[in-house]
Amino acid sequence: MIKLPGLIDPHVHLREPGQTHKEDWDTGTSAALAGGVTMLLTMPNTKPPIFDAATLDLALDAAHPKAHCDYAQFLGAGPDNTDWDEHSGLPQRAAGLKMYLDSTFGQLRLDDMTLWQEHFKTWPGELPIVAHSESRSMAAIILMAAIYNRPVHIAHISLKEEVLLIKAARERGIKVTCEVCPHHLFLSKEDIPAISHGHPGRGEVRPRLATKEDVEALWANLDSIDCFATDHAPHTLAEKDGENPPPGFPGLETMLPLLLTAVDAGRLTLDDLILRMVTNPRRIFNLPEQPETWVEVDENTTYELHAADMHSRCGWTPFEGWKVKGQVTRVVLRGSESFKDGKILVEPGYGKNVRE
Ligand code: DOR
Ligand code: ZN
């Protein structure tokens, strides 16, 4: 048996408010515990999006009675909320500020770089900023971090050019950190046919699955990658297989077994894993310690990943049928046995908002 600290996932979409047929605070935080994640940070692209005091309350009021694990909620940067006031107390109640810089994400889209600058100027300096920015927009946001001399965290990097640029920026003292998702480490675009089973929507995710060369560059430059994050983005199979399939993969229940399998194969060490799933996210996002919290793993159990055994409401996984080695057997969160042998043992509402 291996005992790990409770894992922190800094990038999760739980769909509540607004799209609870995909996931809600109950099913999403259950999936987290089953995957060894005891604290998660949730993204603001819900319906409605979370971008001011009223919508933040909407998300937190939904979370409070339902969450099984600890959490904090991001605020989204939009075109109309660039005037953050640190004395209002609002930024401090959030996990951080999330900026969507190139893809279309409804009301949270920031087309114009003057809007990026406004957010950089008014969001309090000691609080985290996370950017969804790919390729050249990532280069642009790193320039802004340099100009304003403040840290920025790049979400889900997937390309060789991204990891190499981040490495070069850090060597010059720019305060940029980043995360990578398991699906960008274990899948390339060549795997799309196998994931799809004839339904191309199942291979859709943003950032897209990349080339084998990109995947190899991420592994080769793990030293420049601070965190592992799931980007857990649940959509139902009916949606993935229908017209206009939404991009996104679930990930909370597959991240740890996939990474433990890579540890078993000698691709990284347990220390590498703990650094990227506990120590670094806690530092980057200024998160509290969770006392009396740990994850027990049977490192010798080999089993297959099946969506039917999972807690997420979305009902599928791109890793269906994968053989993995290393199973979460028990999770203790703040002194309470929270998960054991496939069952969630803490009541909804046990989870705490770590920004309160
Ligand atoms: O694939 C994705 N799905 N990428 C994103 O950035 C958003 C996410 C979602 O919310 O479904
Ligand atoms: Zn995301």
Side-chain angles (χ1 to χ4, degrees):
M1 194 266 277
I2 304 177
K3 207 169 149 184
L4 299 171
L7 308 179
I8 300 171
D9 185 348
H11 193 142
V12 174
H13 299 264
L14 290 190
R15 309 304 189 202
E16 187 172 9
Q19 296 179 306
T20 53
H21 66 287
K22 299 175 194 269
E23 198 79 287
D24 71 3
W25 281 93
D26 181 350
T27 57
T29 56
S30 297
L33 287 176
V37 171
T38 54
M39 189 188 296
L40 47 78
L41 307 183
T42 54
M43 289 295 150
N45 65 334
T46 47
K47 290 204 166 152
I50 310 306
F51 63 96
D52 62 8
T55 50
L56 181 62
D57 284 340
L58 210 56
L60 296 179
D61 289 349
H64 182 75
K66 285 177 136 180
H68 296 267
C69 71
D70 294 347
Y71 58 90
Q73 168 70 50
F74 277 95
L75 281 160
D80 305 317
N81 65 348
T82 57
D83 52 345
W84 299 107
D85 174 8
E86 67 181 307
H87 304 294
S88 68
L90 176 62
Q92 292 82 355
R93 293 175 59 215
L97 180 69
K98 177 72 186 288
M99 303 176 75
Y100 290 92
L101 300 183
D102 40 11
S103 315
T104 325
F105 288 99
Q107 285 154 271
L108 294 180
R109 182 170 155 160
L110 297 174
D111 289 314
D112 185 327
M113 282 194 286
T114 60
L115 293 169
W116 308 12
Q117 281 175 283
E118 289 305 314
H119 282 292
F120 261 71
K121 280 188 216 159
T122 64
W123 184 256
E126 71 284 7
L127 303 181
I129 294 183
V130 176
H132 178 142
S133 54
E134 300 177 32
S135 187
R136 291 169 194 196
S137 70
M138 191 203 77
I141 200 72
I142 291 176
L143 173 65
M144 235 161 255
I147 291 171
Y148 292 99
N149 187 29
R150 59 171 302 156
V152 64
H153 180 79
I154 311 295
H156 43 50
I157 67 163
S158 62
L159 303 175
K160 180 177 181 177
E161 62 176 23
E162 292 169 350
V163 73
L164 293 183
L165 191 68
I166 286 172
K167 188 175 179 174
R170 283 151 79 115
E171 281 165 8
R172 280 154 190 80
I174 299 174
K175 296 171 187 157
V176 54
T177 56
C178 68
E179 68 196 25
V180 68
C181 304
H183 51 268
H184 293 122
L185 285 176
F186 294 102
L187 298 170
S188 75
K189 57 164 79 166
E190 291 176 33
D191 296 304
I192 293 175
I195 300 169
S196 300
H197 297 100
H199 303 278
R202 294 191 201 179
E204 290 291 340
V205 65
R206 299 292 177 275
R208 290 182 168 83
L209 295 179
T211 67
K212 277 195 156 161
E213 192 188 343
D214 289 309
V215 173
E216 275 160 27
L218 297 177
W219 281 103
N221 292 284
L222 269 189
D223 278 359
S224 300
I225 294 172
D226 303 277
C227 305
F228 295 135
T230 59
D231 195 9
H232 179 81
H235 301 285
T236 64
L237 257 194
E239 291 166 331
K240 296 295 279 180
D241 294 353
E243 293 266 301
N244 299 321
F249 292 164
L252 281 166
E253 288 163 275
T254 48
M255 174 165 64
L256 184 55
L258 288 167
L259 288 166
L260 287 170
T261 306
V263 170
D264 185 64
R267 302 185 81 182
L268 75 169
T269 66
L270 271 184
D271 284 346
D272 289 332
L273 202 148
I274 293 167
L275 188 67
R276 287 168 184 76
M277 298 171 94
V278 184
T279 321
N280 287 344
R282 181 175 290 150
R283 187 195 73 242
I284 293 165
F285 297 99
N286 190 25
L287 300 168
E289 301 251 351
Q290 294 176 295
E292 284 185 81
T293 298
W294 69 87
V295 177
E296 293 174 18
V297 160
D298 183 342
E299 75 275 31
N300 294 315
T301 300
T302 302
Y303 69 108
E304 284 183 9
L305 298 172
H306 289 296
D309 302 328
M310 296 180 192
H311 296 77
S312 169
R313 191 167 281 151
C314 74
W316 78 288
T317 166
F319 300 104
E320 182 67 34
W322 279 41
K323 260 208 178 62
V324 289
K325 189 170 176 190
Q327 188 167 39
V328 178
T329 52
R330 184 165 177 260
V331 178
V332 176
L333 170 55
R334 287 183 282 100
S336 291
E337 186 170 67
S338 304
F339 175 84
K340 195 177 180 199
D341 299 333
K343 296 215 163 41
I344 303 298
L345 300 177
V346 278
E347 295 302 312
Y350 181 73
K352 277 197 171 133
N353 178 359
V354 300
R355 291 290 194 243
E356 218 151 62

